[in-house]
Amino acid sequence: MMRRLILIRHAKSDWDDPLLTDHQRVLARRGRDAAPKIGAWLAAQGVRPDEVLCSDATRTQDTWALIAPFLGDVAPTLIPALYHAGPDTILSQLRRATGQAVAIIGHNPGLGEFAGLMVQTRPAHDGFERFPTAAALVAELPVEDWSEAGYAMARPVAFTVPRDL
């Protein structure tokens, strides 16, 4: 059995309001433009998550809100532990998932590191190493249950960044 993993880094955020904490930062105009493009791209790939694990930061929630209309508008599960999480924390959260196709919306550097650790081979895209804002990876894992997921198990199916769209 194959399960599908979709990793999405939050879209470009705004640093202009000094009264907001890092956790409260909203999306910049560039991010608000990029997120729907990623949603449309994922839909064109036939990607429809049935479970969404999302950092509880404002910018990750806003990113999902702009992507969701293209993918069936699945309500995200907000997980405080995904805020600036490292790869092991992200893997731990993934292992608790129950959906067939799971999307994780998070932050760098942890999400990009996690993506690199999960794939058997890295996508032939110069943006994969940086995993820039709003980057999206679609991968498949040969597991019956997410509790079996581990590093170097995923086969990359598709990867893109907003600049490509």
Side-chain angles (χ1 to χ4, degrees):
M1 171 173 279
M2 286 288 187
R3 295 209 180 238
R4 184 163 273 187
L5 175 64
I6 305 112
L7 299 178
I8 305 165
R9 183 175 171 203
H10 67 79
K12 182 72 176 163
S13 59
D14 191 341
W15 292 85
D16 289 343
D17 189 340
L19 299 178
L20 295 179
T21 66
D22 180 71
H23 196 267
Q24 297 169 322
R25 280 191 293 129
V26 298
L27 296 180
R29 177 180 197 88
R30 191 171 102 199
R32 291 190 308 272
D33 291 342
K37 291 178 183 176
I38 293 299
W41 177 83
L42 287 166
Q45 305 298 309
V47 174
R48 299 240 188 288
D50 51 12
E51 184 174 8
V52 177
L53 309 179
C54 185
S55 158
D56 66 343
T58 301
R59 61 191 178 275
T60 51
Q61 293 180 65
D62 290 350
T63 298
W64 178 248
L66 292 168
I67 290 173
F70 295 91
L71 305 179
D73 216 11
V74 177
T77 300
L78 301 181
I79 302 175
L82 288 176
Y83 176 65
H84 288 298
D88 291 343
T89 299
I90 298 170
L91 180 59
S92 174
Q93 294 299 320
L94 176 61
R95 286 179 173 161
R96 295 179 182 140
T98 58
Q100 187 67 30
V102 175
I104 298 176
I105 298 104
H107 310 264
N108 263 5
L111 191 71
E113 291 171 3
F114 178 71
L117 289 168
M118 287 302 290
V119 295
Q120 297 167 346
T121 58
R122 292 173 184 260
H125 188 293
D126 61 357
F128 184 75
E129 297 300 322
R130 294 182 289 102
F131 220 89
T133 53
L137 170 71
V138 179
E140 292 181 340
L141 280 80
V143 296
E144 299 248 349
D145 189 89
W146 285 113
S147 64
E148 303 167 14
Y151 295 137
M153 292 180 71
R155 181 183 65 82
V157 174
F159 176 80
T160 198
V161 298
R163 188 170 288 169
D164 293 345
L165 305 176

